[in-house]
Structure formats: C-alpha cells, structure tokens
Amino acid sequence: MKLLVGIARVVVGVLFIFSGFIKLNDPVGFSFKLQEYFSQGVLNIEVLIPFALVIAILLVVFELVLGIMLLIGYLPKFTTWSLLLMIIFFTFLTFYSAYFNKVTDCGCFGDAIPLTPWQSFIKDVILLVLIVFLFVKRKLITPVFVPASHRWIIFLSFMLSFIFCYYVLMHLPVFDFRAYKIGANIQEGMEVPEGAQEAVYEYQWKFLHDGEEVVIATNGQYPQQEGEFIGVETEMVQKGYEPPIHDFYIQKDGENFTSEILEAEKVFFIVAYNLRSTERDGYAAVKRLSDEALEKGYKVVGVTSSGEELQQQISEKYNLNFEFYQGDETALKTIVRSNPGLLVLRRGTITQKKHWFDAADIDL
C-alpha cells in the first residue's frame, strides 16, 4: 500500500508542478482562458473578469507549490484537502466545458499540450481518483528531507514562482509554444497541406411520409425517399485538419491586406489587440521605433481589434505616423502577450518579438 501511495504521490505532484509551471510561464494567456469561463454564456460571473490576471497568478502559483508540498510530504492533511478541493473545482469546469461545449480548450497545460474538453475531463477524473486515494491514505505520506527544511523549501518555492511570474509579465513568456513564435512563417502556418484530412459531416434529411416524419442520414447525397421534404440538419462527425494559424487577417475599410503585408520584404508590426486597455506607457517606444523603421525602409503596420475612433485618438495623442489596420482580437492576443507588442517580419517570418518594455532590444 505504501508503494501505491508513493507512486500516486509522485504522479500527482509532478503533474501539478508541470501544469502550474506551464501556466506560470504564460499567466496572461491563462487569464484570457479564465475570462472565457467567467463570460456570459459560460459561468456568467463577469464581475470577476477584471480580476482574471490576479486570480490566474494566485491559482497557478498555488497549484505549483501544492505539487511541491505533496512531493516533500509537507502538511499532508492540508495538502491533500487543498488538492481535493482544487481537483473537484477543475473537474467541474472541464465537465461543464465538455458537456455544454462552452470552452474548447481548458488551458490545463497552456499552449504546450492542447487538450480537447473531453480529454481534459478524463485527465481530471484520473487525477481525482488518485487524489481521493491519497486523501484516504494521507497518514502514509511520509516527509522527504529534514522536516525543519520544509518551510524554507515552500517559502523559496513561493518567492521563485512570483519572481518568475513578474519576469514574464514584464517581458514575454520564456517558452513560446504558440504558432507565432520567433522563426515561424505566418503564411505557411495558414496553409492546408495537400491530402490533409477533410471534415466529415452527416446530413439528416427529414421527410413527411404517410403522416409520419422520416429521418434519413447520409454523407451528403440527397436520399431517394418518398414523401414531402421538410428540411435537413448537418452535424460534423469528424473534424478536419485545421492549420496552426486559422484566424489571422489584416484588413482596412473592408479590404483585405493580409497577403500584401505578409509578402513585404520587411515589416515593423505593432500589435495592440485592444486600444481601450492598451498600456499607454509603451507608445513613446512605439513612436521612436516606428519613426526609425520608416527611415530604414520598413513597412510599418499597426493592428488592433478596436474601431477607427480609438485608432484616431491614439494616433493623434502620440503623434504616430503609421496607420492602424484591423484584425481578430483573439488572434492578436495569441501573437504576443503584450498590449502593445512589437514584431519584426521578413516576408511573413517572425524574426523578432518583444514586449514594449523591451523595445530597446529591437534591432532594425
């Protein structure tokens, strides 16, 4: 029994540390996921949306430290109670997402290991079983290292977690698992390879025959069925290949400029996914770099999801000499975890990507 407790302890502890660290590497991304959960139509607790980043940081730090506490055997009763309550909460969220198809990716392992809602739920059910087992057998959780050192280990874990979190907030995630990482070509990321799996649909044709409704299912072809045709319902039974980048576009006044910008020799790309919440301290650097880029022959492009009125206000206030285009807010949030964020493109390939705080590191 003690061996089983030891195995369960290592599995749960390592998973909590790994999951916590992956999300701690990108707390802004996890806060976006929490905003989805808090939004209307999901959990309907929009009052928490402004606090999503703070909640995200506290959750992931606690998750990571709980994993360490379990591995070293610190306060087994408190640790197993905390693990149990946390996994019950996460299991509820993932079941809710999967059953009602509300949030398509729980964000459990950030962008490193994307999971479908049902995969996330199954993972949490397995963890729930292991944690319940540890909770029942918590007296068999023996300490590792000298007990007097445990408090210092936990204190150090908290401090290092918050220091690391502060670093990635003021810069960018240390590990970039997204499709827009440095070296990625955006145009290539949008392409569907030849022979890729296509989506499979089922068509349910409804007819009225002899006073009764008859439903015929096909893969698309119109069925040979007597009676009056009522209608057809379509359901995707197998998802097709989806390119890593599928919602990227740049437009202005209804005209699409995506290809033109991605094919340009060199582009200085300013991403401000929402101008209402943008960090205005960054626009002194944006102004300086955009002026320098224009002098050196770069095409300078600002992209935002905000409307023309806000675009004009920001441009006039900071005397910006480039135009803003419009893009999808979710895609822009994915490109760079900074508002504004700065990128350099060479024929659509991302060669540099920086938080505005690190604007001085951009080499034009």
Side-chain angles (χ1 to χ4, degrees), residues 79-355:
T79 300
T80 52
W81 264 112
S82 299
L83 288 168
L84 184 61
L85 293 175
M86 183 171 278
I87 198 60
I88 288 172
F89 173 69
F90 284 144
T91 304
F92 162 75
L93 279 186
T94 52
F95 172 77
Y96 185 86
S97 298
Y99 187 80
F100 294 101
N101 196 28
K102 294 290 186 180
V103 179
T104 56
D105 178 8
C106 73
C108 306
F109 298 116
D111 294 295
I113 308 177
L115 298 176
T116 66
W118 283 115
Q119 287 172 338
S120 301
F121 175 66
I122 293 169
K123 180 264 299 178
D124 284 344
V125 168
I126 294 171
L127 277 174
L128 178 61
V129 171
L130 292 173
I131 290 170
V132 168
F133 173 68
L134 289 171
F135 180 80
V136 173
K137 300 295 183 180
R138 61 180 178 269
K139 291 184 179 178
L140 296 178
I141 299 176
T142 54
V144 177
F145 306 124
V146 179
S149 68
H150 286 183
R151 290 186 180 182
W152 288 106
I153 293 172
I154 300 306
F155 174 76
L156 188 61
S157 300
F158 270 113
M159 292 302 297
L160 290 176
S161 296
F162 280 115
I163 290 170
F164 182 74
C165 182
Y166 178 77
Y167 177 84
V168 297
L169 286 174
M170 296 305 296
H171 303 278
L172 288 177
V174 174
F175 306 101
D176 192 348
F177 300 103
R178 287 159 288 154
Y180 298 94
K181 59 182 175 291
I182 293 175
N185 183 279
I186 297 175
Q187 189 71 50
E188 292 176 1
M190 298 167 66
E191 295 173 354
V192 177
E194 188 176 346
Q197 173 68 49
E198 295 183 359
V200 178
Y201 295 90
E202 182 180 85
Y203 295 79
Q204 297 184 346
W205 307 85
K206 296 182 181 181
F207 296 86
L208 187 63
H209 182 61
D210 293 337
E212 294 185 1
E213 185 178 291
V214 178
V215 179
I216 307 294
T218 73
N219 290 328
Q221 66 275 20
Y222 188 87
Q224 298 299 316
Q225 171 64 39
E226 296 181 357
E228 178 187 353
F229 173 67
I230 300 174
V232 61
E233 293 182 1
T234 306
E235 179 183 359
M236 182 187 292
V237 294
Q238 184 176 338
K239 192 174 181 180
Y241 173 82
E242 186 174 74
I245 299 174
H246 53 272
D247 52 2
F248 179 87
Y249 64 85
I250 304 170
Q251 67 178 28
K252 189 172 182 65
D253 300 326
E255 186 176 353
N256 194 320
F257 291 89
T258 306
S259 296
E260 177 185 324
I261 292 171
L262 292 182
E263 291 170 5
E265 179 62 33
K266 48 185 184 178
V267 178
F268 181 52
F269 203 61
I270 300 104
V271 176
Y273 65 82
N274 189 316
L275 292 176
R276 195 174 301 279
S277 59
T278 192
E279 295 181 79
R280 306 209 169 199
D281 291 346
Y283 283 90
V286 168
K287 167 66 176 170
R288 177 180 57 79
L289 278 173
S290 61
D291 288 347
E292 181 184 348
L294 287 169
E295 289 176 4
K296 294 183 176 180
Y298 281 76
K299 185 177 184 64
V300 179
V301 175
V303 186
T304 180
S305 66
S306 300
E308 291 184 6
E309 185 178 343
L310 276 173
Q311 294 175 24
Q312 187 174 354
Q313 288 177 10
I314 292 291
S315 294
E316 290 177 355
K317 182 170 183 177
Y318 298 100
N319 194 28
L320 302 178
N321 55 0
F322 59 86
E323 287 189 309
F324 276 103
Y325 295 74
Q326 285 200 294
D328 177 74
E329 182 169 347
T330 301
L332 298 180
K333 286 178 176 178
T334 306
I335 292 171
V336 60
R337 304 301 200 201
S338 175
N339 186 20
L342 312 173
L343 293 87
V344 175
L345 307 182
R346 300 275 183 174
R347 291 191 176 276
T349 297
I350 301 171
T351 59
Q352 298 179 66
K353 181 165 71 169
K354 296 292 181 182
H355 191 289

